[in-house]
mmCIF file of all heavy atoms in Angstrom:
data_model
loop_
_atom_site.group_PDB
_atom_site.id
_atom_site.type_symbol
_atom_site.label_atom_id
_atom_site.label_comp_id
_atom_site.label_asym_id
_atom_site.label_seq_id
_atom_site.Cartn_x
_atom_site.Cartn_y
_atom_site.Cartn_z
ATOM 1 N N PHE J 20 6.079 -6.052 -10.089
ATOM 2 C CA PHE J 20 5.333 -6.833 -9.101
ATOM 3 C C PHE J 20 3.876 -6.389 -9.077
ATOM 4 O O PHE J 20 2.972 -7.205 -8.964
ATOM 5 C CB PHE J 20 5.934 -6.701 -7.707
ATOM 6 C CG PHE J 20 7.241 -7.420 -7.498
ATOM 7 C CD1 PHE J 20 7.982 -7.175 -6.359
ATOM 8 C CD2 PHE J 20 7.736 -8.341 -8.408
ATOM 9 C CE1 PHE J 20 9.182 -7.831 -6.129
ATOM 10 C CE2 PHE J 20 8.941 -9.000 -8.191
ATOM 11 C CZ PHE J 20 9.663 -8.747 -7.045
ATOM 12 N N TYR J 21 3.648 -5.083 -9.177
ATOM 13 C CA TYR J 21 2.270 -4.600 -9.136
ATOM 14 C C TYR J 21 1.522 -4.959 -10.425
ATOM 15 O O TYR J 21 0.378 -5.412 -10.382
ATOM 16 C CB TYR J 21 2.216 -3.085 -8.911
ATOM 17 C CG TYR J 21 0.794 -2.607 -8.735
ATOM 18 C CD1 TYR J 21 0.093 -2.896 -7.568
ATOM 19 C CD2 TYR J 21 0.136 -1.939 -9.744
ATOM 20 C CE1 TYR J 21 -1.224 -2.508 -7.408
ATOM 21 C CE2 TYR J 21 -1.184 -1.547 -9.599
ATOM 22 C CZ TYR J 21 -1.859 -1.834 -8.432
ATOM 23 O OH TYR J 21 -3.172 -1.459 -8.282
ATOM 24 N N ALA J 42 25.375 -10.178 -10.077
ATOM 25 C CA ALA J 42 26.137 -9.946 -8.836
ATOM 26 C C ALA J 42 25.650 -8.682 -8.127
ATOM 27 O O ALA J 42 25.518 -8.660 -6.896
ATOM 28 C CB ALA J 42 27.628 -9.843 -9.145
ATOM 29 N N TYR J 45 22.207 -9.383 -6.456
ATOM 30 C CA TYR J 45 22.302 -10.171 -5.219
ATOM 31 C C TYR J 45 23.098 -9.460 -4.119
ATOM 32 O O TYR J 45 22.926 -9.764 -2.944
ATOM 33 C CB TYR J 45 22.858 -11.567 -5.504
ATOM 34 C CG TYR J 45 21.807 -12.452 -6.135
ATOM 35 C CD1 TYR J 45 21.906 -12.847 -7.466
ATOM 36 C CD2 TYR J 45 20.691 -12.861 -5.416
ATOM 37 C CE1 TYR J 45 20.931 -13.652 -8.045
ATOM 38 C CE2 TYR J 45 19.708 -13.660 -5.977
ATOM 39 C CZ TYR J 45 19.835 -14.048 -7.298
ATOM 40 O OH TYR J 45 18.857 -14.833 -7.868
ATOM 41 N N ARG J 64 6.082 3.104 3.216
ATOM 42 C CA ARG J 64 6.633 4.451 3.453
ATOM 43 C C ARG J 64 5.803 5.524 2.763
ATOM 44 O O ARG J 64 5.552 6.598 3.327
ATOM 45 C CB ARG J 64 8.084 4.534 2.982
ATOM 46 C CG ARG J 64 9.095 4.025 3.980
ATOM 47 C CD ARG J 64 10.533 4.335 3.565
ATOM 48 N NE ARG J 64 10.902 3.785 2.268
ATOM 49 C CZ ARG J 64 11.303 2.548 2.056
ATOM 50 N NH1 ARG J 64 11.390 1.698 3.065
ATOM 51 N NH2 ARG J 64 11.629 2.142 0.838
ATOM 52 N N ASP J 65 5.366 5.245 1.539
ATOM 53 C CA ASP J 65 4.543 6.219 0.810
ATOM 54 C C ASP J 65 3.225 6.479 1.534
ATOM 55 O O ASP J 65 2.796 7.628 1.665
ATOM 56 C CB ASP J 65 4.273 5.737 -0.615
ATOM 57 C CG ASP J 65 5.502 5.753 -1.504
ATOM 58 O OD1 ASP J 65 6.517 6.387 -1.129
ATOM 59 O OD2 ASP J 65 5.454 5.111 -2.574
ATOM 60 N N GLY J 72 1.360 13.288 6.735
ATOM 61 C CA GLY J 72 1.190 14.636 6.191
ATOM 62 C C GLY J 72 -0.210 15.165 6.453
ATOM 63 O O GLY J 72 -0.387 16.328 6.826
ATOM 64 N N GLN J 76 -1.463 18.537 8.827
ATOM 65 C CA GLN J 76 -2.144 19.660 8.187
ATOM 66 C C GLN J 76 -3.632 19.766 8.501
ATOM 67 O O GLN J 76 -4.207 20.840 8.334
ATOM 68 C CB GLN J 76 -1.982 19.563 6.666
ATOM 69 C CG GLN J 76 -0.549 19.628 6.217
ATOM 70 C CD GLN J 76 -0.406 19.354 4.726
ATOM 71 O OE1 GLN J 76 -1.371 19.130 4.018
ATOM 72 N NE2 GLN J 76 0.828 19.376 4.261
ATOM 73 N N LEU J 77 -4.265 18.679 8.906
ATOM 74 C CA LEU J 77 -5.722 18.647 8.999
ATOM 75 C C LEU J 77 -6.199 18.221 10.382
ATOM 76 O O LEU J 77 -5.451 17.616 11.142
ATOM 77 C CB LEU J 77 -6.276 17.653 7.960
ATOM 78 C CG LEU J 77 -5.878 17.884 6.504
ATOM 79 C CD1 LEU J 77 -6.271 16.682 5.652
ATOM 80 C CD2 LEU J 77 -6.513 19.159 5.983
ATOM 81 N N HIS J 80 -10.654 14.366 11.946
ATOM 82 C CA HIS J 80 -11.764 13.976 11.086
ATOM 83 C C HIS J 80 -11.396 14.190 9.614
ATOM 84 O O HIS J 80 -11.586 13.305 8.767
ATOM 85 C CB HIS J 80 -13.006 14.792 11.471
ATOM 86 C CG HIS J 80 -14.259 14.364 10.809
ATOM 87 N ND1 HIS J 80 -14.628 14.805 9.566
ATOM 88 C CD2 HIS J 80 -15.243 13.527 11.227
ATOM 89 C CE1 HIS J 80 -15.778 14.269 9.237
ATOM 90 N NE2 HIS J 80 -16.188 13.481 10.241
ATOM 91 N N GLY J 91 -4.267 11.307 -3.773
ATOM 92 C CA GLY J 91 -3.411 10.172 -3.444
ATOM 93 C C GLY J 91 -4.063 9.164 -2.518
ATOM 94 O O GLY J 91 -3.479 8.132 -2.211
ATOM 95 N N GLY J 101 -4.868 1.434 -14.826
ATOM 96 C CA GLY J 101 -3.992 0.304 -14.524
ATOM 97 C C GLY J 101 -4.104 -0.202 -13.105
ATOM 98 O O GLY J 101 -3.307 -1.036 -12.681
ATOM 99 N N GLY J 104 -5.707 -3.439 -7.820
ATOM 100 C CA GLY J 104 -5.983 -3.807 -6.444
ATOM 101 C C GLY J 104 -4.884 -3.353 -5.503
ATOM 102 O O GLY J 104 -3.911 -2.718 -5.898
ATOM 103 N N SER J 119 6.192 -15.653 7.230
ATOM 104 C CA SER J 119 7.212 -15.253 6.257
ATOM 105 C C SER J 119 7.546 -13.778 6.453
ATOM 106 O O SER J 119 6.711 -13.001 6.936
ATOM 107 C CB SER J 119 6.710 -15.485 4.826
ATOM 108 O OG SER J 119 5.797 -14.472 4.443
ATOM 109 N N ARG J 123 4.952 -10.715 7.435
ATOM 110 C CA ARG J 123 5.193 -9.869 8.625
ATOM 111 C C ARG J 123 5.281 -8.395 8.243
ATOM 112 O O ARG J 123 4.771 -7.533 8.966
ATOM 113 C CB ARG J 123 6.449 -10.337 9.364
ATOM 114 C CG ARG J 123 6.233 -11.650 10.110
ATOM 115 C CD ARG J 123 7.325 -11.958 11.120
ATOM 116 N NE ARG J 123 8.670 -11.835 10.615
ATOM 117 C CZ ARG J 123 9.422 -12.825 10.160
ATOM 118 N NH1 ARG J 123 8.954 -14.055 10.134
ATOM 119 N NH2 ARG J 123 10.649 -12.609 9.733
ATOM 120 N N GLN J 135 -3.275 4.089 13.289
ATOM 121 C CA GLN J 135 -3.421 5.496 12.910
ATOM 122 C C GLN J 135 -4.885 5.893 12.815
ATOM 123 O O GLN J 135 -5.283 6.951 13.301
ATOM 124 C CB GLN J 135 -2.729 5.759 11.558
ATOM 125 C CG GLN J 135 -1.224 5.657 11.603
ATOM 126 C CD GLN J 135 -0.622 6.696 12.519
ATOM 127 O OE1 GLN J 135 -0.821 7.894 12.335
ATOM 128 N NE2 GLN J 135 0.110 6.246 13.513
ATOM 129 N N ASP J 144 -13.012 12.386 18.695
ATOM 130 C CA ASP J 144 -14.058 12.071 19.684
ATOM 131 C C ASP J 144 -15.174 11.211 19.101
ATOM 132 O O ASP J 144 -16.355 11.410 19.395
ATOM 133 C CB ASP J 144 -14.644 13.359 20.293
ATOM 134 C CG ASP J 144 -13.620 14.091 21.146
ATOM 135 O OD1 ASP J 144 -12.830 13.409 21.838
ATOM 136 O OD2 ASP J 144 -13.615 15.332 21.111
ATOM 137 N N LEU J 157 -11.946 -2.408 6.859
ATOM 138 C CA LEU J 157 -12.713 -3.271 5.952
ATOM 139 C C LEU J 157 -13.175 -2.503 4.718
ATOM 140 O O LEU J 157 -13.184 -3.049 3.609
ATOM 141 C CB LEU J 157 -13.901 -3.890 6.677
ATOM 142 C CG LEU J 157 -13.556 -5.040 7.616
ATOM 143 C CD1 LEU J 157 -14.775 -5.460 8.424
ATOM 144 C CD2 LEU J 157 -13.001 -6.218 6.843
ATOM 145 N N HIS J 160 -10.107 -2.241 2.405
ATOM 146 C CA HIS J 160 -9.815 -3.505 1.736
ATOM 147 C C HIS J 160 -10.915 -3.879 0.744
ATOM 148 O O HIS J 160 -10.626 -4.323 -0.367
ATOM 149 C CB HIS J 160 -9.634 -4.630 2.748
ATOM 150 C CG HIS J 160 -8.505 -4.409 3.699
ATOM 151 N ND1 HIS J 160 -7.385 -3.661 3.404
ATOM 152 C CD2 HIS J 160 -8.322 -4.833 4.979
ATOM 153 C CE1 HIS J 160 -6.572 -3.647 4.444
ATOM 154 N NE2 HIS J 160 -7.124 -4.346 5.407
ATOM 155 N N GLN J 165 -13.432 -4.682 -4.563
ATOM 156 C CA GLN J 165 -14.720 -4.551 -5.258
ATOM 157 C C GLN J 165 -14.625 -3.712 -6.521
ATOM 158 O O GLN J 165 -15.378 -3.933 -7.464
ATOM 159 C CB GLN J 165 -15.774 -3.972 -4.311
ATOM 160 C CG GLN J 165 -17.156 -3.852 -4.907
ATOM 161 C CD GLN J 165 -17.756 -5.181 -5.338
ATOM 162 O OE1 GLN J 165 -17.424 -6.223 -4.794
ATOM 163 N NE2 GLN J 165 -18.633 -5.143 -6.337
ATOM 164 N N PHE J 168 -14.981 -5.064 -9.937
ATOM 165 C CA PHE J 168 -16.267 -5.567 -10.407
ATOM 166 C C PHE J 168 -17.307 -4.467 -10.603
ATOM 167 O O PHE J 168 -18.471 -4.757 -10.813
ATOM 168 C CB PHE J 168 -16.799 -6.611 -9.419
ATOM 169 C CG PHE J 168 -15.799 -7.692 -9.150
ATOM 170 C CD1 PHE J 168 -15.109 -7.734 -7.952
ATOM 171 C CD2 PHE J 168 -15.516 -8.655 -10.115
ATOM 172 C CE1 PHE J 168 -14.170 -8.726 -7.707
ATOM 173 C CE2 PHE J 168 -14.578 -9.646 -9.880
ATOM 174 C CZ PHE J 168 -13.900 -9.684 -8.676
ATOM 175 N N ARG J 175 -15.779 4.635 -5.946
ATOM 176 C CA ARG J 175 -15.267 5.745 -5.135
ATOM 177 C C ARG J 175 -16.412 6.467 -4.425
ATOM 178 O O ARG J 175 -16.300 6.797 -3.246
ATOM 179 C CB ARG J 175 -14.490 6.715 -6.016
ATOM 180 C CG ARG J 175 -13.906 7.861 -5.248
ATOM 181 C CD ARG J 175 -13.153 8.817 -6.143
ATOM 182 N NE ARG J 175 -12.451 9.765 -5.301
ATOM 183 C CZ ARG J 175 -11.393 10.435 -5.665
ATOM 184 N NH1 ARG J 175 -10.890 10.273 -6.874
ATOM 185 N NH2 ARG J 175 -10.816 11.268 -4.849
ATOM 186 N N LEU J 178 -17.627 4.272 -1.601
ATOM 187 C CA LEU J 178 -16.638 4.288 -0.526
ATOM 188 C C LEU J 178 -16.718 5.597 0.265
ATOM 189 O O LEU J 178 -16.746 5.578 1.496
ATOM 190 C CB LEU J 178 -15.226 4.093 -1.088
ATOM 191 C CG LEU J 178 -14.084 4.141 -0.077
ATOM 192 C CD1 LEU J 178 -14.179 2.985 0.911
ATOM 193 C CD2 LEU J 178 -12.742 4.124 -0.795
ATOM 194 N N GLY J 188 -20.906 8.061 12.840
ATOM 195 C CA GLY J 188 -21.426 7.087 13.792
ATOM 196 C C GLY J 188 -22.676 6.373 13.305
ATOM 197 O O GLY J 188 -23.389 5.766 14.099
#
Side-chain angles (χ1 to χ4, degrees):
F20 287 169
Y21 185 72
Y45 284 110
R64 277 189 302 277
D65 290 345
Q76 299 173 1
L77 304 169
H80 188 275
S119 77
R123 287 195 311 263
Q135 292 297 302
D144 293 323
L157 284 172
H160 299 332
Q165 183 61 27
F168 307 106
R175 181 181 189 157
L178 178 65

